[in-house]
């Protein structure tokens, strides 16, 4: 007998909401360039975006038994995060399961394997981020861990960590670091707004970024 618990601590909903206003790239930079999943994991439509606590699940390659089980037990607002061995030649998730997720109020799906029915997924609007698109079917044979730490896209994801994903990619924020990530992300946005205002006022990139001494130290001479 294999026992699996679905109990874990989720972040405060307000922290999730606050993080959701920042892009994945902003959060990644703000938390010291940490937490970015492999760039191969992308949305099936560039307009898709999600932010929510990770409901983690480990699947065997070309097997979606535990994925379906995770969908059954995830709570509204959760992001189902799937580790399946980076196996690209399998469509482990499609429009039928997306409807099941959307009906439960789940926030989205992130998987390191393939999905299919992408036209239907786009029409449905349920956020799906995957490593590949494949029409090849899966089996339902292998049980595995759920709501335990997994590795997805080269990054450790724990149940309850916050997943933020958009057109540019996916980043994970450790649950205990969420408040700090919000503050750091806002500081970065404010700093970037200052740079943009300066550029529009006529300041140069070389001046604003202090590039002149860097270039000089590297021996670069620019003749105008």
């Amino acid at each position: 007998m294999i026992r699996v618990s679905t109990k874990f601590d989720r972040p405060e909903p307000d922290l999730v909401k606050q993080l959701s206003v920042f892009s994945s790239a902003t959060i990644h930079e703000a938390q010291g360039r940490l937490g970015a999943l492999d760039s191969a994991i992308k949305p099936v439509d560039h307009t898709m975006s999600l932010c929510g606590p990770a409901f983690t699940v480990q699947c065997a390659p070309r097997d979606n038994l535990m994925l379906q089980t995770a969908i059954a037990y995830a709570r509204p607002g959760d992001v189902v995060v799937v580790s399946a061995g980076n196996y690209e030649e399998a469509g482990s998730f499609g429009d039928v399961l997306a409807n099941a997720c959307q009906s439960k109020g789940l926030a989205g799906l992130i998987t390191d394997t393939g999905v299919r029915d992408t036209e239907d997924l786009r029409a449905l609007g349920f956020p799906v981020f995957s490593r590949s698109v494949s029409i090849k079917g899966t089996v339902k044979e292998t049980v595995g861990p759920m709501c335990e730490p997994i590795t997805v896209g080269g990054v450790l994801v724990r149940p309850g960590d916050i997943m933020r994903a958009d057109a540019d990619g996916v980043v994970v924020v450790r649950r205990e670091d969420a408040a700090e990530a919000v503050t750091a992300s806002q500081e970065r946005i404010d700093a970037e707004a200052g740079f943009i205002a300066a550029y529009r006022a006529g300041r140069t990139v070389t001046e604003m970024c202090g590039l002149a001494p860097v270039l000089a130290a590297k021996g670069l001479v620019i003749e105008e």
Side-chain angles (χ1 to χ4, degrees), residues 136-209:
K136 298 177 181 178
T138 57
V139 298
K140 297 172 181 62
E141 296 289 345
T142 309
V143 298
M146 192 166 61
C147 299
E148 294 184 9
I150 59 174
T151 299
V152 181
V155 178
L156 178 69
V157 178
R158 306 169 309 167
D161 286 345
I162 301 176
M163 310 302 298
R164 176 71 178 107
D166 54 25
D168 290 334
V170 185
V171 65
V172 57
V173 178
R174 292 170 63 91
R175 182 172 55 82
E176 63 269 27
D177 296 336
E180 182 179 346
V182 169
T183 300
S185 294
Q186 187 60 58
E187 290 173 349
R188 182 173 179 83
I189 290 294
D190 294 341
E192 289 179 343
F195 273 89
I196 292 171
Y199 293 147
R200 291 186 179 278
R203 304 280 292 277
T204 68
V205 174
T206 302
E207 179 185 3
M208 291 299 298
C209 296

Side-chain angles (χ1 to χ4, degrees), residues 51-148:
C51 190
F55 188 102
T56 59
V57 62
Q58 183 83 46
C59 294
R62 207 174 66 82
D63 190 323
N64 74 347
L65 174 62
M66 292 309 298
L67 167 57
Q68 295 205 27
T69 304
I71 292 170
Y73 286 93
R75 297 181 186 177
D78 286 349
V79 177
V80 177
V81 184
V82 184
S83 175
N86 298 319
Y87 189 81
E88 295 185 358
E89 295 299 322
S92 63
F93 182 92
D95 65 323
V96 175
L97 289 180
N99 273 278
C101 289
Q102 194 173 67
S103 297
K104 290 195 65 175
L106 304 188
L109 173 93
I110 298 170
T111 179
D112 68 359
T113 186
V115 300
R116 60 186 183 183
D117 306 325
T118 54
E119 287 191 8
D120 293 323
L121 293 177
R122 294 186 187 101
L124 187 64
F126 181 74
V128 175
F129 291 71
S130 68
R131 177 172 291 276
S132 66
V133 174
S134 174
I135 62 173
K136 298 177 181 178
T138 57
V139 298
K140 297 172 181 62
E141 296 289 345
T142 309
V143 298
M146 192 166 61
C147 299
E148 294 184 9

Side-chain angles (χ1 to χ4, degrees), residues 21-29 35-50 110 128-130 164-172 188-189 192:
V21 305
F22 303 110
S23 71
S24 61
T26 293
I27 295 171
H28 169 59
E29 292 284 355
L37 274 60
D38 286 348
S39 60
I41 299 178
K42 285 291 194 295
V44 299
D45 186 89
H46 74 279
T47 63
M48 291 178 173
S49 176
L50 64 78
I110 298 170
V128 175
F129 291 71
S130 68
R164 176 71 178 107
D166 54 25
D168 290 334
V170 185
V171 65
V172 57
R188 182 173 179 83
I189 290 294
E192 289 179 343

